[in-house]
Short mmCIF file of all heavy atoms in Angstrom, two decimals:
data_model
loop_
_atom_site.label_atom_id
_atom_site.label_comp_id
_atom_site.label_asym_id
_atom_site.label_seq_id
_atom_site.Cartn_x
_atom_site.Cartn_y
_atom_site.Cartn_z
N GLY A 185 8.42 -9.44 8.72
CA GLY A 185 7.40 -10.54 8.58
C GLY A 185 7.15 -10.81 7.12
O GLY A 185 7.18 -10.01 6.31
N TYR A 186 6.42 -11.85 6.98
CA TYR A 186 5.98 -12.35 5.71
C TYR A 186 4.71 -13.32 5.88
O TYR A 186 4.63 -13.92 6.92
CB TYR A 186 7.14 -12.97 4.84
CG TYR A 186 7.55 -14.45 5.29
CD1 TYR A 186 6.79 -15.53 5.08
CD2 TYR A 186 8.57 -14.50 6.26
CE1 TYR A 186 7.22 -16.79 5.54
CE2 TYR A 186 8.93 -15.63 6.84
CZ TYR A 186 8.38 -16.73 6.39
OH TYR A 186 8.65 -18.05 6.96
N HIS A 187 3.89 -13.30 4.87
CA HIS A 187 2.74 -14.13 4.80
C HIS A 187 3.10 -15.33 3.76
O HIS A 187 3.66 -15.10 2.79
CB HIS A 187 1.50 -13.39 4.36
CG HIS A 187 1.05 -12.37 5.36
ND1 HIS A 187 1.51 -11.11 5.35
CD2 HIS A 187 0.22 -12.49 6.44
CE1 HIS A 187 0.96 -10.39 6.23
NE2 HIS A 187 0.07 -11.22 6.90
N GLY A 188 2.70 -16.55 4.21
CA GLY A 188 3.08 -17.72 3.28
C GLY A 188 2.29 -17.68 1.96
O GLY A 188 2.60 -18.28 1.10
N ASP A 189 1.09 -16.97 2.01
CA ASP A 189 0.32 -16.99 0.71
C ASP A 189 -0.39 -15.64 0.59
O ASP A 189 0.18 -14.69 0.15
CB ASP A 189 -0.72 -18.10 0.69
CG ASP A 189 -1.58 -18.18 -0.55
OD1 ASP A 189 -1.24 -17.63 -1.61
OD2 ASP A 189 -2.67 -18.80 -0.45
N VAL A 190 -1.67 -15.44 1.12
CA VAL A 190 -2.29 -14.20 0.98
C VAL A 190 -1.82 -13.12 1.83
O VAL A 190 -1.42 -13.58 2.98
CB VAL A 190 -3.80 -14.50 1.23
CG1 VAL A 190 -4.61 -13.11 1.33
CG2 VAL A 190 -4.41 -15.26 0.28
N THR A 191 -1.66 -12.04 1.27
CA THR A 191 -1.09 -10.90 2.13
C THR A 191 -2.23 -9.75 2.38
O THR A 191 -2.34 -9.35 3.51
CB THR A 191 0.12 -10.30 1.38
OG1 THR A 191 1.16 -11.19 1.20
CG2 THR A 191 0.75 -9.05 2.28
N TYR A 192 -2.87 -9.39 1.36
CA TYR A 192 -3.80 -8.44 1.46
C TYR A 192 -5.01 -8.77 0.62
O TYR A 192 -5.00 -9.67 -0.26
CB TYR A 192 -3.33 -7.09 0.84
CG TYR A 192 -2.40 -6.26 1.63
CD1 TYR A 192 -1.02 -6.31 1.26
CD2 TYR A 192 -2.66 -5.63 2.83
CE1 TYR A 192 -0.08 -5.59 2.08
CE2 TYR A 192 -1.73 -4.98 3.60
CZ TYR A 192 -0.46 -4.94 3.20
OH TYR A 192 0.45 -4.36 4.01
N ALA A 193 -6.12 -8.27 1.01
CA ALA A 193 -7.49 -8.36 0.44
C ALA A 193 -7.64 -7.66 -0.96
O ALA A 193 -6.97 -6.70 -1.19
CB ALA A 193 -8.71 -8.19 1.32
N SER A 194 -8.56 -8.08 -1.77
CA SER A 194 -9.06 -7.32 -2.81
C SER A 194 -9.83 -6.05 -2.25
O SER A 194 -10.31 -6.16 -1.14
CB SER A 194 -9.97 -8.07 -3.82
OG SER A 194 -11.09 -8.47 -3.16
N ALA A 195 -9.89 -5.04 -3.22
CA ALA A 195 -10.79 -3.92 -2.76
C ALA A 195 -11.44 -3.40 -3.86
O ALA A 195 -10.96 -3.10 -4.99
CB ALA A 195 -9.70 -2.80 -2.28
N ASP A 196 -12.83 -3.07 -3.55
CA ASP A 196 -13.62 -2.56 -4.60
C ASP A 196 -14.20 -1.27 -3.95
O ASP A 196 -14.32 -1.19 -2.67
CB ASP A 196 -14.86 -3.52 -4.90
CG ASP A 196 -14.32 -4.74 -5.66
OD1 ASP A 196 -13.35 -4.71 -6.29
OD2 ASP A 196 -15.08 -5.84 -5.53
N ALA A 197 -14.57 -0.32 -4.77
CA ALA A 197 -15.29 0.93 -4.27
C ALA A 197 -16.53 1.03 -4.77
O ALA A 197 -16.88 0.68 -5.89
CB ALA A 197 -14.28 1.96 -4.71
N PHE A 198 -17.47 1.80 -4.04
CA PHE A 198 -18.86 2.05 -4.40
C PHE A 198 -19.18 3.46 -3.91
O PHE A 198 -18.74 3.85 -2.95
CB PHE A 198 -19.77 1.04 -4.01
CG PHE A 198 -19.94 0.78 -2.44
CD1 PHE A 198 -20.79 1.57 -1.80
CD2 PHE A 198 -19.14 -0.05 -1.85
CE1 PHE A 198 -20.92 1.56 -0.43
CE2 PHE A 198 -19.35 -0.23 -0.43
CZ PHE A 198 -20.20 0.60 0.25
N ASP A 199 -19.89 4.22 -4.93
CA ASP A 199 -20.57 5.45 -4.54
C ASP A 199 -21.93 5.28 -4.78
O ASP A 199 -22.45 4.88 -5.89
CB ASP A 199 -19.91 6.52 -5.38
CG ASP A 199 -18.35 6.80 -5.26
OD1 ASP A 199 -18.05 6.48 -4.14
OD2 ASP A 199 -17.96 7.31 -6.22
N ILE A 200 -22.69 5.66 -3.83
CA ILE A 200 -24.22 5.61 -3.90
C ILE A 200 -24.87 6.90 -3.68
O ILE A 200 -24.53 7.56 -2.74
CB ILE A 200 -24.92 4.56 -2.95
CG1 ILE A 200 -24.19 3.27 -3.03
CG2 ILE A 200 -26.30 4.58 -2.93
CD1 ILE A 200 -24.60 2.15 -2.14
N THR A 201 -25.71 7.33 -4.56
CA THR A 201 -26.57 8.55 -4.45
C THR A 201 -28.06 8.12 -4.21
O THR A 201 -28.53 7.33 -4.89
CB THR A 201 -26.55 9.45 -5.57
OG1 THR A 201 -25.11 9.94 -5.75
CG2 THR A 201 -27.35 10.66 -5.30
N LEU A 202 -28.56 8.41 -3.00
CA LEU A 202 -29.88 8.09 -2.69
C LEU A 202 -30.81 9.46 -3.01
O LEU A 202 -30.33 10.39 -2.41
CB LEU A 202 -30.10 7.67 -1.16
CG LEU A 202 -29.31 6.33 -0.81
CD1 LEU A 202 -29.58 6.00 0.70
CD2 LEU A 202 -29.67 5.25 -1.71
N ARG A 203 -31.89 9.23 -3.58
CA ARG A 203 -32.81 10.37 -3.85
C ARG A 203 -34.21 10.17 -3.19
O ARG A 203 -34.74 9.20 -3.34
CB ARG A 203 -33.05 10.43 -5.45
CG ARG A 203 -31.72 10.83 -6.12
CD ARG A 203 -32.01 11.12 -7.55
NE ARG A 203 -32.67 10.04 -8.27
CZ ARG A 203 -32.11 9.04 -8.79
NH1 ARG A 203 -30.77 8.84 -8.69
NH2 ARG A 203 -32.79 7.93 -9.45
N GLY A 204 -34.55 11.20 -2.48
CA GLY A 204 -35.89 11.20 -1.87
C GLY A 204 -36.72 12.53 -2.25
O GLY A 204 -36.43 13.05 -3.27
N VAL A 205 -37.53 13.03 -1.36
CA VAL A 205 -38.22 14.30 -1.56
C VAL A 205 -37.90 15.19 -0.46
O VAL A 205 -38.34 14.67 0.71
CB VAL A 205 -39.66 14.19 -1.78
CG1 VAL A 205 -40.43 15.41 -1.94
CG2 VAL A 205 -39.93 13.27 -3.13
N SER A 206 -37.48 16.31 -0.59
CA SER A 206 -37.14 17.22 0.46
C SER A 206 -38.46 17.71 1.14
O SER A 206 -39.52 17.74 0.61
CB SER A 206 -36.25 18.47 0.02
OG SER A 206 -36.92 19.14 -0.94
N GLY A 207 -38.32 18.09 2.41
CA GLY A 207 -39.39 18.72 3.18
C GLY A 207 -39.13 19.25 4.54
O GLY A 207 -37.77 19.12 4.85
N HIS A 208 -40.10 19.78 5.16
CA HIS A 208 -39.86 20.28 6.61
C HIS A 208 -39.71 19.12 7.53
O HIS A 208 -40.48 18.23 7.47
CB HIS A 208 -40.87 21.20 6.99
CG HIS A 208 -40.67 22.06 8.06
ND1 HIS A 208 -40.35 21.77 9.38
CD2 HIS A 208 -40.64 23.48 8.07
CE1 HIS A 208 -40.12 22.74 10.04
NE2 HIS A 208 -40.36 23.91 9.42
N GLY A 209 -38.69 19.28 8.47
CA GLY A 209 -38.56 18.33 9.51
C GLY A 209 -39.72 18.03 10.52
O GLY A 209 -39.86 16.96 10.98
#
Side-chain angles (χ1 to χ4, degrees):
Y186 65 89
H187 295 87
D189 181 20
V190 171
T191 303
Y192 287 107
S194 64
D196 299 332
F198 61 87
D199 298 333
I200 300 172
T201 301
L202 301 179
R203 295 189 301 274
V205 177
S206 57
H208 198 296

